[in-house]
Amino acid sequence: MSDVGLTSAPPSLPTFASLGVSPPEKFDPPAVARDWVGSFAGSIDNRDVQGLISTLHAEPWWRDIFALTWDIRTFQGRAKIETFLNDRLTETGFGSVAFVSAVYQPVAPDLAWILVHFSFETTVAAGNGIARLVYCADESWRAVTVSTHLDGLKAHPELTSADRDFRVIQGDWVERRKNELEFADTNPEVLMIGGGQAGLEIAARLKHLRVSHLIVEKNARIGDNWRTRYDSLTLHDPIWCNHMPYLHFPTSWPVFPSSKQVANWLEFYAEALELNIWLSSEAVSAVRNEATNKWDVVIRRGDGSSRTMHVDHIVLAQGFTFKKTVFPGQVGIEDFHGQIMHSSEFKSAKGLAGKKVAIIGACTSGHDIASDCADNGVDVTMVQRSSTYVMSIEKGILTNLPAAEWEGLSLEKGDSSRISMPFRFQKGLAQRGAAKIRDLDREMLEGLEKAGYRTNSGTDDTGVLYLLLERGGGYYFDDGSCQKIIDGKIKIKSGIEVDRITKTGVLFKDGSELPADIVVVATGFDDARVPIRKLVSEDVGVKIPPIWGLNEEGELKGPWRELEGLPKMWLMMGNFFWCRYFSKIIALQIKAKQEGLYGTRYAAPTS
C-alpha cells in the first residue's frame, strides 16, 4: 500500500500520557462542566482575558463559526487566542454565557473529555458554544477546544408556528403563488444560482428569516442534477446525516437511497416549502452596480426571453463542476470509431454487452460505472492514473458516521458537535480512525493490490479527511465494485500515464494501447472558480483567490462566506451535512447585512 503526502506530524492529542494523568474513577461531569462554565463566563463578563485563558488547556484551540469574527477562524495556542479575545471580546459584546448540558466522552482507551454545550449572546446575535474539558495534572479540568457558533439574530428570529397565516379562506393561493414566483414588478433580495440541495436549503433558510429569494436552475426539473446521472448512482453517506432543514427524510427510506429517490425528494422539498424557482433558466452575467450597491444579473429563461434582476445578494450554489479532461492529441468525437463521453453523460450499461469500455479515472464515478458494466457483461477496464484511498461503506463509512451520532440527540446538537472540532485538531483522530478502518478492510485492500489497483492511506495517513479538505476527491467508498476488481470482472490498467486517445482506443506513455468502443472520462472536479469567472467576466474573475484547500489556520478557503473582492456574492458548497449546517450560517449573514447588523469581519490573514 503506497502513501500520499506524508508532510507533517499531527498536533499532539491530549492523551492521558501527554497530560501526565488520567481522569479520576468517579466524578460528576455536569457538575464539573457547570463549574468550568461559571469560571469561563465570569472572566468574559469581567473582560478578564487572562482569567479566561486560565480556563484553557496549555495547548488550546478556539474555532469561531461567524459568531465573534463574522468569519470561520481557528486560533491555535494561548497567544493567538489571547490576541483574538483582546480584539473581539468587547467589540462583539460577547457575554451571557450559560451552561446547557455536558456528557463524558471516552474517545479511546487513552483519550477522554467532557463535552460541554453552552449558550451565549453578542450585541446582535444568539450563539451556541461547545468545549471539550480534559483532566490536567494539577487536578483541574480545562478546555482543550472551544467553539463559538452563530445561531440566530436576536431581533430577527426564524418563523415559528405563531407566525402562520390564520386566515380560514385560502382560495386565492394559486394566484398568489403565481405572482410570487414571477416577480413581475419586484426583484428578490437574494438570487440563488443552482437548485440542488445547496440552493434549496439556502432558500428555505432565507424564507424562514423573511428574506425574499429566487432560485435559477438550468435544468427542466428540480432534482435533475441527480436524476440525469447514471442509473446506479446512490448516496454514499448514510441518510441520518443527510436530512434537510425543516423536512427530514422518511424513516422508511433505506440508509443509502438511490439518486432517483433523492431527486424526487428535492422536487418535493421545493414544492412543500413553496420555494421560488425559475426552471430551465440560467444566469448568464452578473455585474456589480456601484451606484446602487446591487448586482445586475441577466437571466435567460427557458422560453428564450431575458430578464435583468437587480438583487442585493447572489449565492453561488452550483457546487463543484466536473472536469471534462481533454487528453493531449485527443481526436474529435467524429474521428473516434466509437463514443467518447464524460461520466456525467453516462446513463446505463444495459445494451452494451459485446462492447469494450475504457474508464479513465478510478474514484467514485469510475467505480460506479465500471460496476454497472460488469453487472451487464461488458468488457470494462478502469484506467487508474494515481493511487486512490478506498474504504468500505459497511465497515468504514458506518464506523465514521454512526447512526447514534445523529439519531441519538437533536440534529442541531449533533451538527454543532461535529463542526466544533478544528480540522487540524482532528488530524490525530483521523489517523487513528483510518488505521482502524484499514485493519477492518485489510482483506479487501490486499485483494485490490494483487489485482493491480493501487491504494493509499490518504494524506498523512488521515484516510478520507484531508483528501476531502485539500482536493475534494481522490477517494472511493466501496459498495461492491472492489470485489469485482478482485474477481477480475473489472480489469485495471494502473501506473502508466495516458498519452492520448486514438481512433481505436487509449494509448499510454509506454506505447501500449487499450482498445475501446466507448471511452468514459471520469477525472473528477474542475477548479470551482470556472463557473464564477464565466458569470462575472474573466477580467473580474481572474482576481478571485483559490477556492477549496486549507488556509494557514486550517480552514477551507472560499465557501460559506462572501467571496474576496465580490461584495455580497456568497459561495455555498459541500455535501448534504455541510449544506444543512452552513445554509443557516449564510442565511444569517445575509439577514444581518440586510438589517444593518453585520459587524466588522475579522478575517484570517491571507498569503
Side-chain angles (χ1 to χ4, degrees), residues 317-394:
Q318 309 103 309
F320 282 109
T321 54
F322 289 111
K323 186 189 298 181
K324 298 196 175 183
T325 304
V326 176
F327 294 93
Q330 180 172 320
V331 298
I333 293 176
E334 67 279 1
D335 297 320
F336 181 59
H337 82 120
Q339 188 177 8
I340 302 173
M341 67 176 72
H342 188 264
S343 60
S344 61
E345 300 162 330
F346 184 89
K347 284 293 291 176
S348 173
K350 291 177 181 176
L352 298 183
K355 301 285 188 181
K356 292 182 181 295
V357 176
I359 303 169
I360 303 176
C363 292
T364 301
S365 294
H367 276 270
D368 286 351
I369 293 170
S371 183
D372 186 25
C373 288
D375 288 343
N376 283 277
V378 178
D379 183 341
V380 58
T381 301
M382 193 156 50
V383 177
Q384 186 188 35
R385 299 178 302 158
S386 59
S387 65
T388 308
Y389 175 73
V390 178
M391 73 173 171
S392 66
I393 287 179
E394 181 181 357

Side-chain angles (χ1 to χ4, degrees), residues 8 66 78 105 179 240 265 279 306 308 357 377 502 530 546 554 570:
S8 60
F66 298 94
R78 284 187 167 191
Q105 290 188 331
N179 292 336
W240 47 74
W265 179 263
L279 295 168
S306 291
T308 300
V357 176
T502 69
V530 169
W570 309 81

Side-chain angles (χ1 to χ4, degrees), residues 214 420 545 563:
L214 173 65
S420 70
L563 285 171

Side-chain angles (χ1 to χ4, degrees), residues 37-157:
V37 170
S39 297
F40 182 75
S43 296
I44 291 169
D45 291 343
N46 294 323
R47 298 298 183 250
D48 178 6
V49 171
Q50 288 303 316
L52 194 156
I53 292 294
S54 72
T55 69
L56 307 181
H57 177 254
E59 298 179 10
W61 303 70
W62 190 310
R63 192 180 200 200
D64 183 69
I65 316 290
F66 298 94
L68 307 178
T69 61
W70 294 107
D71 202 343
I72 183 166
R73 302 280 309 268
T74 290
F75 306 97
Q76 181 184 357
R78 284 187 167 191
K80 289 183 179 179
I81 291 174
E82 182 176 349
T83 299
F84 152 62
L85 292 172
N86 280 326
D87 288 346
R88 303 301 285 183
L89 200 57
T90 300
E91 180 174 331
T92 60
F94 183 35
S96 300
V97 174
F99 172 82
V100 174
S101 65
V103 61
Y104 183 61
Q105 290 188 331
V107 181
D110 65 339
L111 180 66
W113 48 59
I114 300 173
L115 186 73
V116 184
H117 287 262
F118 60 89
S119 62
F120 66 89
E121 293 182 2
T122 67
T123 304
V124 301
N128 68 77
I130 293 175
R132 289 175 175 82
L133 310 185
V134 294
Y135 190 67
C136 300
D138 63 356
E139 300 184 351
S140 64
W141 291 85
R142 293 190 178 90
V144 67
T145 72
V146 175
S147 65
T148 39
H149 309 238
L150 177 64
D151 196 41
L153 299 174
K154 291 194 291 190
H156 302 278

Side-chain angles (χ1 to χ4, degrees), residues 525-582:
F525 298 118
D526 208 342
D527 189 326
R529 293 172 291 183
V530 169
I532 306 174
R533 289 168 176 163
K534 182 181 177 183
L535 178 69
V536 299
S537 81
E538 191 64 32
D539 289 346
V540 175
V542 75
K543 300 173 186 175
I544 302 172
I547 292 172
W548 214 256
L550 299 179
N551 65 16
E552 293 177 2
E553 293 182 347
E555 294 292 354
L556 282 171
K557 303 172 187 173
W560 316 317
R561 44 168 89 77
E562 284 178 294
L563 285 171
E564 188 174 324
L566 297 172
K568 298 185 179 181
M569 181 174 282
W570 309 81
L571 182 62
M572 184 67 202
M573 301 177 75
N575 57 14
F576 273 86
F577 161 57
W578 275 350
C579 285
R580 177 178 67 245
Y581 183 85
F582 285 106

Side-chain angles (χ1 to χ4, degrees), residues 426-481:
Q426 292 182 52
K427 195 170 192 178
L429 295 172
Q431 289 175 332
R432 289 179 169 208
K436 177 182 178 181
I437 291 168
R438 191 162 59 245
D439 190 55
L440 293 172
D441 284 337
R442 187 167 304 281
E443 183 179 350
M444 177 187 72
L445 296 173
E446 289 176 352
L448 288 174
E449 293 283 349
K450 288 178 183 176
Y453 184 95
R454 294 178 296 150
T455 65
N456 63 58
S457 301
T459 306
D460 286 352
D461 293 324
T462 55
V464 70
L465 177 64
Y466 273 73
L467 289 171
L468 171 63
L469 296 174
E470 294 174 351
R471 294 175 49 189
Y475 52 84
Y476 171 62
F477 303 150
D478 176 56
D479 60 356
S481 70

